[in-house]
Amino acid sequence: MADTVLQIFAKAPIDGFVKTRLIPELGVKAATDVYIMLLSSVVELAASSNYSVQLWCAPDLQHDFFQQVAKKYKFALRKQRGANLGDKMKYALEQGLHEANRVVLIGADCPVFTLNYLMEAFQLLTDSKVVLGPAEDGGFVLIGCTKVRDNMFSQVDWGEATVLSQTLKALTGAKLTYSLLPMLWDVDTLSDLKRWQAS
């Protein structure tokens, strides 16, 4: 069994399927282009690491972008499964733990990830069962674990500003110890996009 696996959650860059909150200001095509840039940034960062990388895809594995990434970087492609984001993450983390002792899952929306941040996440899993990277909007940009429990995401209102606090409460209820990384931000709104472009 490997020691570490890095997972990326990705949606197929289909017009109208990604970055929907940017569509009113940018239009459908430009919003898709932003998502492709974000996802490409995360993919390149992961490829520059020494980790075994899995790209967890929605709605399926067939999109040309996924196929090209798999071919170029030798990433393993997996299909997201579950009724909501919590179910999908729990399933992916569970599967990852069949192959490695420590699994870290990141999204495609955070352009300020660094290799050091990912390394710190894996390091914190030496002493904690779960690690989280808080996001400024009240969610999280990263989750890693060495243990999965069925109720680790119970009663979390996905998409709300309470996601992180509700997740921490659920982890406590599931008797899973956790550590927190420094807070980062992701790109959801036009102001987030401008912040990224200015950085």
Side-chain angles (χ1 to χ4, degrees), residues 59-72:
D60 54 45
L61 315 179
Q62 307 310 316
H63 194 279
D64 282 349
F65 185 94
F66 297 151
Q67 295 298 320
Q68 289 167 11
V69 165
K71 185 177 180 182
K72 182 176 180 180

Side-chain angles (χ1 to χ4, degrees), residues 100-175:
N101 298 313
R102 293 176 292 167
V103 179
V104 165
L105 169 62
I106 59 177
D109 300 332
C110 179
V112 289
F113 281 129
T114 63
L115 286 180
N116 282 341
Y117 195 84
L118 300 180
M119 287 168 60
E120 188 178 353
F122 281 112
Q123 186 60 40
L124 287 170
L125 288 174
T126 306
D127 298 314
S128 299
K129 299 293 186 193
V130 178
V131 61
L132 289 153
E136 288 181 4
D137 62 8
F140 51 86
V141 295
L142 175 154
I143 182 166
C145 65
T146 60
K147 184 81 177 174
V148 169
R149 294 198 199 282
D150 285 343
N151 57 341
M152 65 189 290
F153 295 124
S154 62
Q155 296 182 307
V156 176
D157 298 314
W158 302 105
E160 301 298 323
T162 51
V163 164
L164 179 65
S165 59
Q166 290 175 333
T167 301
L168 297 182
K169 185 176 179 182
L171 292 175
T172 300
K175 295 183 167 53

